[in-house]
Amino acid sequence: MEQQSQTYRFAWRGIEIEATYTPRKWGVIAHLEIRSITSERAPLPITETGYRSHFHQPGTIEAHGGDVMAQVTAWLDEEAAKPAWLAYVEASRQGDLFA
């Protein structure tokens, strides 16, 4: 049985994000969709396209406190500390003369 989706909007480092969480999709799996909405399709540390669809075991989010926004924020923060994202941020600041 599919459970009702829940949609959350929040800001992360100046980017407006929408996260839609379905605790049980198709009766067997949980689904989390994350998209940047302002700026639309702005890259995020978890996706270059501004959109990420993530399937996981039901109960995973609930087992970690159930706060979807806190968990997505923690995921973004964790990935933002990695060299690839730090390089992207630095390049974005400087601009690219050859793009």
Side-chain angles (χ1 to χ4, degrees):
M1 181 172 104
E2 185 162 325
Q3 291 180 334
Q4 189 70 18
S5 296
Q6 307 148 16
T7 300
Y8 306 87
R9 283 193 173 196
F10 60 98
W12 179 81
R13 299 188 185 183
I15 301 170
E16 189 75 19
I17 294 174
E18 181 178 271
T20 302
Y21 175 57
T22 307
R24 191 169 295 272
K25 193 166 186 85
W26 307 307
V28 295
I29 198 157
H31 186 229
L32 180 62
E33 285 182 283
I34 301 163
R35 66 176 44 94
S36 53
I37 52 176
T38 307
S39 304
E40 186 175 356
R41 296 291 196 178
L44 297 167
I46 59 173
T47 171
E48 294 176 6
T49 65
Y51 176 80
R52 176 80 182 253
S53 175
H54 179 71
F55 291 94
H56 55 277
Q57 290 290 65
T60 304
I61 287 183
E62 293 76 9
H64 291 92
D67 187 334
V68 173
M69 291 186 299
Q71 289 183 48
V72 171
T73 299
W75 187 14
L76 291 167
D77 289 341
E78 181 179 331
E79 295 298 314
K82 294 184 177 178
W85 182 255
L86 295 173
Y88 166 78
V89 169
E90 186 61 28
S92 296
R93 250 187 244 138
Q94 292 181 352
D96 188 350
L97 297 174
F98 303 103

